[in-house]
Amino acid sequence: MKKEITFRLNRKDYTIEVDPGARMIDVLRDQLNLRGTKEGCGVGECGACTVVIDGKAVTSCLVSAAQMDGRDIMTVEGLSETEIGSILQKCFIQYGAVQCGYCTPGMLMSAYALLLHNDNPTREEIRDAIAGNLCRCTGYVQILDSIEKARDEYLAKA
Amino acid sequence: MRYKDYYSPNSLKEAEQLLKELDGPVTLLAGGTDIMVYAREDDRYQDHHIINIYGLPELQGIELKDDCIRIGAGVTHSEIEQSPIIQKYATVLADGCRTVGSLQIRNHATLAGNICNASPAADSLAPLAVLDAKVEVLRDGEMVLMPLYDVIVKPYRTSLSDRDLVTAVIVRRLPEDEITCFYKLGRRKALAISRMTITYVAHKADDGTVDDFNITAGAIFPRPMTFPDINEKLLGKKPDETILEDVARALGNKIPEITGIRKSTAYKQPVCSNLAARILKEKLLEV
Ligand code: FES
Ligand code: FES
């Protein structure tokens, strides 16, 4: 079964036909060829598939394609065109937050959603915002540090 | 996900119409954070009509009434957690919702969906129980109000039929000076499946006696329940150590009484009593 849905993705408008019961992550990766969003567990536990929908971080492995209809979506591919996103990306690289990189897109999206609503989060708030994102490599410290640096840089600019 | 067909109605009326007209099993999809996981395990929805009710305007919003709060079935855990109304008049529910899943799940999953999934480990259920929650259900064109206890009958089982549509959850509105507590014992901060939670609400009159009290434990009992016989122990009295320990012991004793003696009882019963004693004393003995 196919259904037409319309949404905004990375600041562009889309109207596409989808299987409404497909998973959002599969629509992004397989149908739209946006492979930045990663699948780890497929059951909502690792956060690798995190995207931002209407300003909120959501695990795209648990969202049904029909629920993308009418929404404003941001994935890691769109981040570099946003101010917060590009600062985050730069800081992640500069301060060693990326090792194997598998968790990185999800981490970036969670951090992006946080800074979108709170431009001066505490370390504790940052910790809470990425509590649903697992990283097997870094031990999280570098990730927390990088997000703090990005926050400082973003604040200094604003 | 395999399914028979898939509908995304634009209004509650349309959803109601579909429920009436469709033949065969129906699955209502709200956030879908449980259903999407089940659909990976097997093809249990392959003969089902899926009705996606996420985002229906009629199911949104949190409303403060004179003696209660009405939470629309489409309201997410994050919205509850951040709602000034809930924070002020039903704090335990905000606290319970805050520990569900991860932020990404709370941003998408609804409270009503959690009730319909009826997982005993859902952290929102114990707070709902102490708030005397009722579930508003659209059944055969009529709104019926059911106590939460009658909706969740055992783990992962509700008394709802697949034609019942939950439209709202209604909880008590507590006085602003109500003392409330939600305590969770788990492994990891985010996503920990609850091992046990303890929740209570209490109110002290001007003379220091307790005139409102309700306590329960979560992730322990097969359905959300509260215990008038335990509450009696504290009602009308000034809390002191002996009474609070008695209340805590009585709560622990409910575990073998209700779930029978199991291997885990030797762990759970004393942990429940000790934790309950600690958190009761913490908030009720001061001053
Ligand atoms: S792949 Fe979605 S949370 Fe792990
Ligand atoms: S960098 Fe490898 S999982 Fe995080």
Side-chain angles (χ1 to χ4, degrees):
Chain A
M1 175 177 182
K2 289 276 177 214
K3 194 185 172 262
E4 194 177 270
I5 58 170
T6 299
F7 52 90
R8 217 172 147 68
L9 170 62
N10 300 333
R11 299 183 168 170
K12 283 195 211 68
D13 293 320
Y14 286 79
T15 298
I16 58 170
E17 290 220 318
V18 292
D19 164 2
R23 303 182 308 164
M24 176 176 183
I25 188 171
D26 297 327
V27 173
L28 293 172
R29 290 180 54 91
D30 301 341
Q31 214 175 326
L32 299 170
N33 273 316
L34 294 171
R35 304 269 162 86
T37 304
K38 301 289 182 260
E39 174 164 7
C41 63
V43 294
E45 282 182 11
C46 73
C49 65
T50 303
V51 299
V52 172
I53 304 182
D54 292 339
K56 290 182 189 146
V58 171
T59 38
S60 61
C61 67
L62 299 182
V63 176
S64 155
Q67 297 177 339
M68 297 166 70
D69 197 25
R71 303 308 192 93
D72 188 354
I73 300 161
M74 179 72 71
T75 67
V76 72
E77 287 86 354
L79 268 195
S80 62
E81 282 159 45
T82 67
E83 189 175 9
I84 300 174
S86 64
I87 297 176
L88 275 168
Q89 286 173 324
K90 198 189 74 200
C91 290
F92 265 55
I93 295 168
Q94 197 171 341
Y95 300 102
V98 185
Q99 287 189 22
C100 80
Y102 203 79
C103 69
T104 310
M107 286 287 180
L108 284 168
M109 297 316 292
S110 286
Y112 171 76
L114 171 69
L115 292 176
L116 213 50
H117 302 288
N118 179 356
D119 59 11
N120 197 9
T122 62
R123 195 163 174 101
E124 198 47 39
E125 286 170 326
I126 297 173
R127 212 184 273 279
D128 281 346
I130 63 163
N133 295 77
L134 293 181
C135 174
R136 300 298 305 268
C137 304
T138 63
Y140 303 98
V141 175
Q142 297 92 320
I143 297 177
L144 292 167
D145 290 347
S146 305
I147 300 173
E148 277 185 339
K149 299 277 189 200
R151 168 202 64 196
D152 297 344
E153 206 170 300
Y154 179 56
L155 267 183
K157 272 197 179 173
Chain B
M1 170 178 205
R2 296 180 68 181
Y3 52 85
K4 183 151 187 227
D5 41 51
Y6 193 110
Y7 304 86
S8 292
N10 291 311
S11 67
L12 189 59
K13 267 261 147 316
E14 268 180 57
E16 211 183 332
Q17 200 59 32
L18 284 166
L19 286 170
K20 209 185 287 169
E21 284 165 6
L22 294 172
D23 266 333
V26 167
T27 294
L28 290 163
L29 186 88
T33 52
D34 291 309
I35 288 176
M36 297 297 277
V37 173
Y38 298 146
R40 274 168 65 89
E41 290 167 3
D42 50 44
D43 287 331
R44 70 183 76 177
Y45 302 110
Q46 64 180 341
D47 306 322
H48 287 225
H49 303 281
I50 307 291
I51 306 182
N52 167 28
I53 54 170
Y54 199 64
L56 281 188
E58 296 88 338
L59 304 182
Q60 307 306 311
I62 297 174
E63 260 176 275
L64 184 64
K65 307 253 172 109
D66 286 345
D67 58 347
C68 67
I69 305 168
R70 183 179 185 278
I71 304 165
V75 174
T76 64
H77 289 79
S78 293
E79 285 165 346
I80 290 173
E81 192 184 319
Q82 289 157 11
S83 153
I85 294 177
I86 303 287
Q87 284 171 2
K88 203 160 169 189
Y89 301 105
T91 327
V92 265
L93 185 59
D95 294 343
C97 286
R98 193 168 292 121
T99 74
V100 170
S102 62
L103 176 62
Q104 292 98 311
I105 291 179
R106 296 196 296 278
N107 279 341
H108 197 64
T110 64
L111 178 67
N114 229 215
I115 293 175
C116 296
N117 186 48
S119 159
D123 287 332
S124 55
L125 296 182
L128 287 174
V130 298
L131 291 170
D132 298 330
K134 297 194 178 52
V135 181
E136 187 188 280
V137 181
L138 181 60
R139 173 178 285 174
D140 296 330
E142 267 175 62
M143 289 292 186
V144 288
L145 261 193
M146 298 169 69
L148 179 65
Y149 180 82
D150 293 337
V151 173
I152 298 183
V153 292
K154 59 179 185 181
Y156 302 102
R157 277 284 167 275
T158 69
S159 60
L160 302 174
S161 89
D162 67 347
R163 295 304 195 272
D164 287 339
L165 194 160
V166 173
T167 47
V169 181
I170 294 169
V171 297
R172 263 183 75 194
R173 167 184 175 161
L174 300 173
E176 275 179 64
D177 59 348
E178 184 95 5
I179 300 161
T180 73
C181 180
F182 173 83
Y183 184 89
K184 173 170 177 170
L185 186 70
R187 277 178 306 177
R188 159 183 165 205
K189 202 165 165 203
L191 292 155
I193 303 294
S194 260
R195 300 240 159 133
M196 187 186 301
T197 62
I198 297 174
T199 306
Y200 68 84
V201 297
H203 187 266
K204 282 188 193 171
D206 293 339
D207 64 359
T209 60
V210 171
D211 56 8
D212 179 32
F213 182 59
N214 212 353
I215 186 166
T216 194
I220 289 282
F221 304 116
R223 63 205 288 194
M225 48 198 342
T226 54
F227 310 100
D229 56 322
I230 297 181
N231 300 342
E232 275 314 310
K233 292 179 187 290
L234 186 55
L235 284 168
K237 308 214 177 83
K238 283 192 182 151
D240 62 31
E241 241 171 84
T242 322
I243 299 178
L244 296 181
E245 278 169 14
D246 186 34
V247 167
R249 208 172 312 113
L251 185 66
N253 291 344
K254 289 290 176 190
I255 298 176
E257 196 182 310
I258 289 166
T259 66
I261 307 266
R262 301 184 190 186
K263 275 204 197 111
S264 61
T265 313
Y267 161 76
K268 285 183 177 166
Q269 187 176 355
V271 168
C272 177
S273 294
N274 291 340
L275 279 178
R278 188 166 96 206
I279 61 175
L280 282 165
K281 286 182 201 166
E282 239 168 52
K283 291 203 173 179
L284 295 179
L285 282 187
E286 30 107 78
V287 289

mmCIF file with all atom_site columns, all heavy atoms in Angstrom, chain B residues 74-91:
data_model
loop_
_atom_site.group_PDB
_atom_site.id
_atom_site.type_symbol
_atom_site.label_atom_id
_atom_site.label_alt_id
_atom_site.label_comp_id
_atom_site.label_asym_id
_atom_site.label_entity_id
_atom_site.label_seq_id
_atom_site.pdbx_PDB_ins_code
_atom_site.Cartn_x
_atom_site.Cartn_y
_atom_site.Cartn_z
_atom_site.occupancy
_atom_site.B_iso_or_equiv
_atom_site.pdbx_formal_charge
_atom_site.auth_seq_id
_atom_site.auth_comp_id
_atom_site.auth_asym_id
_atom_site.auth_atom_id
_atom_site.pdbx_PDB_model_num
ATOM 1   N N   . GLY B 1 74 ? -3.531 12.084 23.161 1.00 0.00 ? 74 GLY B N   1
ATOM 2   C CA  . GLY B 1 74 ? -2.405 12.287 22.254 1.00 0.00 ? 74 GLY B CA  1
ATOM 3   C C   . GLY B 1 74 ? -1.233 13.016 22.895 1.00 0.00 ? 74 GLY B C   1
ATOM 4   O O   . GLY B 1 74 ? -0.243 13.313 22.228 1.00 0.00 ? 74 GLY B O   1
ATOM 5   N N   . VAL B 1 75 ? -1.358 13.320 24.183 1.00 0.00 ? 75 VAL B N   1
ATOM 6   C CA  . VAL B 1 75 ? -0.303 14.084 24.854 1.00 0.00 ? 75 VAL B CA  1
ATOM 7   C C   . VAL B 1 75 ? 0.899  13.179 25.131 1.00 0.00 ? 75 VAL B C   1
ATOM 8   O O   . VAL B 1 75 ? 0.750  12.062 25.607 1.00 0.00 ? 75 VAL B O   1
ATOM 9   C CB  . VAL B 1 75 ? -0.850 14.696 26.162 1.00 0.00 ? 75 VAL B CB  1
ATOM 10  C CG1 . VAL B 1 75 ? 0.269  15.360 26.957 1.00 0.00 ? 75 VAL B CG1 1
ATOM 11  C CG2 . VAL B 1 75 ? -1.952 15.702 25.852 1.00 0.00 ? 75 VAL B CG2 1
ATOM 12  N N   . THR B 1 76 ? 2.081  13.675 24.808 1.00 0.00 ? 76 THR B N   1
ATOM 13  C CA  . THR B 1 76 ? 3.290  12.852 24.991 1.00 0.00 ? 76 THR B CA  1
ATOM 14  C C   . THR B 1 76 ? 3.832  12.985 26.419 1.00 0.00 ? 76 THR B C   1
ATOM 15  O O   . THR B 1 76 ? 3.482  13.918 27.150 1.00 0.00 ? 76 THR B O   1
ATOM 16  C CB  . THR B 1 76 ? 4.407  13.300 24.034 1.00 0.00 ? 76 THR B CB  1
ATOM 17  O OG1 . THR B 1 76 ? 4.787  14.644 24.365 1.00 0.00 ? 76 THR B OG1 1
ATOM 18  C CG2 . THR B 1 76 ? 3.968  13.229 22.578 1.00 0.00 ? 76 THR B CG2 1
ATOM 19  N N   . HIS B 1 77 ? 4.714  12.076 26.746 1.00 0.00 ? 77 HIS B N   1
ATOM 20  C CA  . HIS B 1 77 ? 5.355  12.121 28.063 1.00 0.00 ? 77 HIS B CA  1
ATOM 21  C C   . HIS B 1 77 ? 6.109  13.431 28.264 1.00 0.00 ? 77 HIS B C   1
ATOM 22  O O   . HIS B 1 77 ? 6.073  14.011 29.343 1.00 0.00 ? 77 HIS B O   1
ATOM 23  C CB  . HIS B 1 77 ? 6.319  10.945 28.218 1.00 0.00 ? 77 HIS B CB  1
ATOM 24  C CG  . HIS B 1 77 ? 5.619  9.630  28.365 1.00 0.00 ? 77 HIS B CG  1
ATOM 25  N ND1 . HIS B 1 77 ? 5.087  8.946  27.308 1.00 0.00 ? 77 HIS B ND1 1
ATOM 26  C CD2 . HIS B 1 77 ? 5.331  8.894  29.461 1.00 0.00 ? 77 HIS B CD2 1
ATOM 27  C CE1 . HIS B 1 77 ? 4.526  7.839  27.746 1.00 0.00 ? 77 HIS B CE1 1
ATOM 28  N NE2 . HIS B 1 77 ? 4.648  7.777  29.047 1.00 0.00 ? 77 HIS B NE2 1
ATOM 29  N N   . SER B 1 78 ? 6.783  13.916 27.214 1.00 0.00 ? 78 SER B N   1
ATOM 30  C CA  . SER B 1 78 ? 7.520  15.178 27.344 1.00 0.00 ? 78 SER B CA  1
ATOM 31  C C   . SER B 1 78 ? 6.579  16.344 27.633 1.00 0.00 ? 78 SER B C   1
ATOM 32  O O   . SER B 1 78 ? 6.885  17.222 28.425 1.00 0.00 ? 78 SER B O   1
ATOM 33  C CB  . SER B 1 78 ? 8.282  15.493 26.060 1.00 0.00 ? 78 SER B CB  1
ATOM 34  O OG  . SER B 1 78 ? 9.293  14.561 25.856 1.00 0.00 ? 78 SER B OG  1
ATOM 35  N N   . GLU B 1 79 ? 5.431  16.345 26.951 1.00 0.00 ? 79 GLU B N   1
ATOM 36  C CA  . GLU B 1 79 ? 4.481  17.441 27.183 1.00 0.00 ? 79 GLU B CA  1
ATOM 37  C C   . GLU B 1 79 ? 3.969  17.421 28.619 1.00 0.00 ? 79 GLU B C   1
ATOM 38  O O   . GLU B 1 79 ? 3.753  18.482 29.221 1.00 0.00 ? 79 GLU B O   1
ATOM 39  C CB  . GLU B 1 79 ? 3.314  17.335 26.192 1.00 0.00 ? 79 GLU B CB  1
ATOM 40  C CG  . GLU B 1 79 ? 3.696  17.762 24.785 1.00 0.00 ? 79 GLU B CG  1
ATOM 41  C CD  . GLU B 1 79 ? 2.698  17.341 23.707 1.00 0.00 ? 79 GLU B CD  1
ATOM 42  O OE1 . GLU B 1 79 ? 1.819  16.497 23.970 1.00 0.00 ? 79 GLU B OE1 1
ATOM 43  O OE2 . GLU B 1 79 ? 2.805  17.856 22.584 1.00 0.00 ? 79 GLU B OE2 1
ATOM 44  N N   . ILE B 1 80 ? 3.769  16.224 29.163 1.00 0.00 ? 80 ILE B N   1
ATOM 45  C CA  . ILE B 1 80 ? 3.302  16.121 30.549 1.00 0.00 ? 80 ILE B CA  1
ATOM 46  C C   . ILE B 1 80 ? 4.367  16.629 31.506 1.00 0.00 ? 80 ILE B C   1
ATOM 47  O O   . ILE B 1 80 ? 4.116  17.438 32.392 1.00 0.00 ? 80 ILE B O   1
ATOM 48  C CB  . ILE B 1 80 ? 2.930  14.663 30.868 1.00 0.00 ? 80 ILE B CB  1
ATOM 49  C CG1 . ILE B 1 80 ? 1.665  14.288 30.099 1.00 0.00 ? 80 ILE B CG1 1
ATOM 50  C CG2 . ILE B 1 80 ? 2.750  14.454 32.371 1.00 0.00 ? 80 ILE B CG2 1
ATOM 51  C CD1 . ILE B 1 80 ? 1.277  12.847 30.186 1.00 0.00 ? 80 ILE B CD1 1
ATOM 52  N N   . GLU B 1 81 ? 5.587  16.149 31.267 1.00 0.00 ? 81 GLU B N   1
ATOM 53  C CA  . GLU B 1 81 ? 6.729  16.522 32.086 1.00 0.00 ? 81 GLU B CA  1
ATOM 54  C C   . GLU B 1 81 ? 6.910  18.039 32.128 1.00 0.00 ? 81 GLU B C   1
ATOM 55  O O   . GLU B 1 81 ? 7.237  18.620 33.149 1.00 0.00 ? 81 GLU B O   1
ATOM 56  C CB  . GLU B 1 81 ? 7.886  15.851 31.356 1.00 0.00 ? 81 GLU B CB  1
ATOM 57  C CG  . GLU B 1 81 ? 9.196  15.735 31.932 1.00 0.00 ? 81 GLU B CG  1
ATOM 58  C CD  . GLU B 1 81 ? 10.121 15.077 30.859 1.00 0.00 ? 81 GLU B CD  1
ATOM 59  O OE1 . GLU B 1 81 ? 9.702  14.127 30.155 1.00 0.00 ? 81 GLU B OE1 1
ATOM 60  O OE2 . GLU B 1 81 ? 11.256 15.544 30.746 1.00 0.00 ? 81 GLU B OE2 1
ATOM 61  N N   . GLN B 1 82 ? 6.658  18.715 31.005 1.00 0.00 ? 82 GLN B N   1
ATOM 62  C CA  . GLN B 1 82 ? 6.898  20.151 30.920 1.00 0.00 ? 82 GLN B CA  1
ATOM 63  C C   . GLN B 1 82 ? 5.667  20.999 31.204 1.00 0.00 ? 82 GLN B C   1
ATOM 64  O O   . GLN B 1 82 ? 5.752  22.213 31.237 1.00 0.00 ? 82 GLN B O   1
ATOM 65  C CB  . GLN B 1 82 ? 7.423  20.496 29.518 1.00 0.00 ? 82 GLN B CB  1
ATOM 66  C CG  . GLN B 1 82 ? 8.837  19.996 29.304 1.00 0.00 ? 82 GLN B CG  1
ATOM 67  C CD  . GLN B 1 82 ? 9.179  19.824 27.836 1.00 0.00 ? 82 GLN B CD  1
ATOM 68  O OE1 . GLN B 1 82 ? 8.436  20.269 26.959 1.00 0.00 ? 82 GLN B OE1 1
ATOM 69  N NE2 . GLN B 1 82 ? 10.290 19.174 27.561 1.00 0.00 ? 82 GLN B NE2 1
ATOM 70  N N   . SER B 1 83 ? 4.532  20.358 31.396 1.00 0.00 ? 83 SER B N   1
ATOM 71  C CA  . SER B 1 83 ? 3.300  21.126 31.572 1.00 0.00 ? 83 SER B CA  1
ATOM 72  C C   . SER B 1 83 ? 3.267  21.824 32.929 1.00 0.00 ? 83 SER B C   1
ATOM 73  O O   . SER B 1 83 ? 3.377  21.191 33.975 1.00 0.00 ? 83 SER B O   1
ATOM 74  C CB  . SER B 1 83 ? 2.091  20.182 31.452 1.00 0.00 ? 83 SER B CB  1
ATOM 75  O OG  . SER B 1 83 ? 0.996  20.685 32.179 1.00 0.00 ? 83 SER B OG  1
ATOM 76  N N   . PRO B 1 84 ? 3.093  23.161 32.934 1.00 0.00 ? 84 PRO B N   1
ATOM 77  C CA  . PRO B 1 84 ? 3.000  23.871 34.216 1.00 0.00 ? 84 PRO B CA  1
ATOM 78  C C   . PRO B 1 84 ? 1.823  23.363 35.060 1.00 0.00 ? 84 PRO B C   1
ATOM 79  O O   . PRO B 1 84 ? 1.920  23.306 36.292 1.00 0.00 ? 84 PRO B O   1
ATOM 80  C CB  . PRO B 1 84 ? 2.773  25.329 33.806 1.00 0.00 ? 84 PRO B CB  1
ATOM 81  C CG  . PRO B 1 84 ? 3.184  25.422 32.370 1.00 0.00 ? 84 PRO B CG  1
ATOM 82  C CD  . PRO B 1 84 ? 3.016  24.047 31.778 1.00 0.00 ? 84 PRO B CD  1
ATOM 83  N N   . ILE B 1 85 ? 0.742  22.958 34.419 1.00 0.00 ? 85 ILE B N   1
ATOM 84  C CA  . ILE B 1 85 ? -0.419 22.451 35.168 1.00 0.00 ? 85 ILE B CA  1
ATOM 85  C C   . ILE B 1 85 ? -0.046 21.165 35.912 1.00 0.00 ? 85 ILE B C   1
ATOM 86  O O   . ILE B 1 85 ? -0.298 21.016 37.105 1.00 0.00 ? 85 ILE B O   1
ATOM 87  C CB  . ILE B 1 85 ? -1.604 22.169 34.206 1.00 0.00 ? 85 ILE B CB  1
ATOM 88  C CG1 . ILE B 1 85 ? -2.100 23.483 33.601 1.00 0.00 ? 85 ILE B CG1 1
ATOM 89  C CG2 . ILE B 1 85 ? -2.726 21.427 34.915 1.00 0.00 ? 85 ILE B CG2 1
ATOM 90  C CD1 . ILE B 1 85 ? -3.230 23.313 32.586 1.00 0.00 ? 85 ILE B CD1 1
ATOM 91  N N   . ILE B 1 86 ? 0.584  20.249 35.197 1.00 0.00 ? 86 ILE B N   1
ATOM 92  C CA  . ILE B 1 86 ? 0.958  18.973 35.830 1.00 0.00 ? 86 ILE B CA  1
ATOM 93  C C   . ILE B 1 86 ? 2.022  19.215 36.899 1.00 0.00 ? 86 ILE B C   1
ATOM 94  O O   . ILE B 1 86 ? 1.965  18.655 38.000 1.00 0.00 ? 86 ILE B O   1
ATOM 95  C CB  . ILE B 1 86 ? 1.490  17.966 34.783 1.00 0.00 ? 86 ILE B CB  1
ATOM 96  C CG1 . ILE B 1 86 ? 0.458  17.727 33.680 1.00 0.00 ? 86 ILE B CG1 1
ATOM 97  C CG2 . ILE B 1 86 ? 1.910  16.659 35.445 1.00 0.00 ? 86 ILE B CG2 1
ATOM 98  C CD1 . ILE B 1 86 ? -0.727 16.906 34.076 1.00 0.00 ? 86 ILE B CD1 1
ATOM 99  N N   . GLN B 1 87 ? 2.990  20.079 36.596 1.00 0.00 ? 87 GLN B N   1
ATOM 100 C CA  . GLN B 1 87 ? 4.045  20.342 37.577 1.00 0.00 ? 87 GLN B CA  1
ATOM 101 C C   . GLN B 1 87 ? 3.480  20.889 38.877 1.00 0.00 ? 87 GLN B C   1
ATOM 102 O O   . GLN B 1 87 ? 3.988  20.605 39.949 1.00 0.00 ? 87 GLN B O   1
ATOM 103 C CB  . GLN B 1 87 ? 5.067  21.321 37.000 1.00 0.00 ? 87 GLN B CB  1
ATOM 104 C CG  . GLN B 1 87 ? 5.992  20.653 35.989 1.00 0.00 ? 87 GLN B CG  1
ATOM 105 C CD  . GLN B 1 87 ? 6.851  21.661 35.252 1.00 0.00 ? 87 GLN B CD  1
ATOM 106 O OE1 . GLN B 1 87 ? 6.784  22.861 35.513 1.00 0.00 ? 87 GLN B OE1 1
ATOM 107 N NE2 . GLN B 1 87 ? 7.654  21.180 34.316 1.00 0.00 ? 87 GLN B NE2 1
ATOM 108 N N   . LYS B 1 88 ? 2.396  21.648 38.758 1.00 0.00 ? 88 LYS B N   1
ATOM 109 C CA  . LYS B 1 88 ? 1.843  22.293 39.941 1.00 0.00 ? 88 LYS B CA  1
ATOM 110 C C   . LYS B 1 88 ? 0.830  21.412 40.672 1.00 0.00 ? 88 LYS B C   1
ATOM 111 O O   . LYS B 1 88 ? 0.839  21.342 41.890 1.00 0.00 ? 88 LYS B O   1
ATOM 112 C CB  . LYS B 1 88 ? 1.147  23.579 39.490 1.00 0.00 ? 88 LYS B CB  1
ATOM 113 C CG  . LYS B 1 88 ? 0.993  24.614 40.555 1.00 0.00 ? 88 LYS B CG  1
ATOM 114 C CD  . LYS B 1 88 ? 0.771  25.964 39.884 1.00 0.00 ? 88 LYS B CD  1
ATOM 115 C CE  . LYS B 1 88 ? 0.335  27.011 40.865 1.00 0.00 ? 88 LYS B CE  1
ATOM 116 N NZ  . LYS B 1 88 ? -0.080 28.242 40.161 1.00 0.00 ? 88 LYS B NZ  1
ATOM 117 N N   . TYR B 1 89 ? -0.017 20.730 39.923 1.00 0.00 ? 89 TYR B N   1
ATOM 118 C CA  . TYR B 1 89 ? -1.141 20.042 40.563 1.00 0.00 ? 89 TYR B CA  1
ATOM 119 C C   . TYR B 1 89 ? -1.089 18.515 40.500 1.00 0.00 ? 89 TYR B C   1
ATOM 120 O O   . TYR B 1 89 ? -2.003 17.847 40.978 1.00 0.00 ? 89 TYR B O   1
ATOM 121 C CB  . TYR B 1 89 ? -2.462 20.510 39.944 1.00 0.00 ? 89 TYR B CB  1
ATOM 122 C CG  . TYR B 1 89 ? -2.697 21.989 40.065 1.00 0.00 ? 89 TYR B CG  1
ATOM 123 C CD1 . TYR B 1 89 ? -2.543 22.826 38.977 1.00 0.00 ? 89 TYR B CD1 1
ATOM 124 C CD2 . TYR B 1 89 ? -3.059 22.544 41.300 1.00 0.00 ? 89 TYR B CD2 1
ATOM 125 C CE1 . TYR B 1 89 ? -2.741 24.194 39.088 1.00 0.00 ? 89 TYR B CE1 1
ATOM 126 C CE2 . TYR B 1 89 ? -3.256 23.907 41.420 1.00 0.00 ? 89 TYR B CE2 1
ATOM 127 C CZ  . TYR B 1 89 ? -3.104 24.731 40.310 1.00 0.00 ? 89 TYR B CZ  1
ATOM 128 O OH  . TYR B 1 89 ? -3.297 26.068 40.433 1.00 0.00 ? 89 TYR B OH  1
ATOM 129 N N   . ALA B 1 90 ? -0.055 17.977 39.870 1.00 0.00 ? 90 ALA B N   1
ATOM 130 C CA  . ALA B 1 90 ? 0.056  16.515 39.819 1.00 0.00 ? 90 ALA B CA  1
ATOM 131 C C   . ALA B 1 90 ? 1.530  16.160 39.626 1.00 0.00 ? 90 ALA B C   1
ATOM 132 O O   . ALA B 1 90 ? 1.902  15.378 38.772 1.00 0.00 ? 90 ALA B O   1
ATOM 133 C CB  . ALA B 1 90 ? -0.794 15.948 38.686 1.00 0.00 ? 90 ALA B CB  1
ATOM 134 N N   . THR B 1 91 ? 2.356  16.786 40.490 1.00 0.00 ? 91 THR B N   1
ATOM 135 C CA  . THR B 1 91 ? 3.812  16.677 40.343 1.00 0.00 ? 91 THR B CA  1
ATOM 136 C C   . THR B 1 91 ? 4.318  15.250 40.144 1.00 0.00 ? 91 THR B C   1
ATOM 137 O O   . THR B 1 91 ? 5.204  15.018 39.333 1.00 0.00 ? 91 THR B O   1
ATOM 138 C CB  . THR B 1 91 ? 4.512  17.263 41.597 1.00 0.00 ? 91 THR B CB  1
ATOM 139 O OG1 . THR B 1 91 ? 3.710  18.316 42.074 1.00 0.00 ? 91 THR B OG1 1
ATOM 140 C CG2 . THR B 1 91 ? 5.901  17.732 41.273 1.00 0.00 ? 91 THR B CG2 1
#
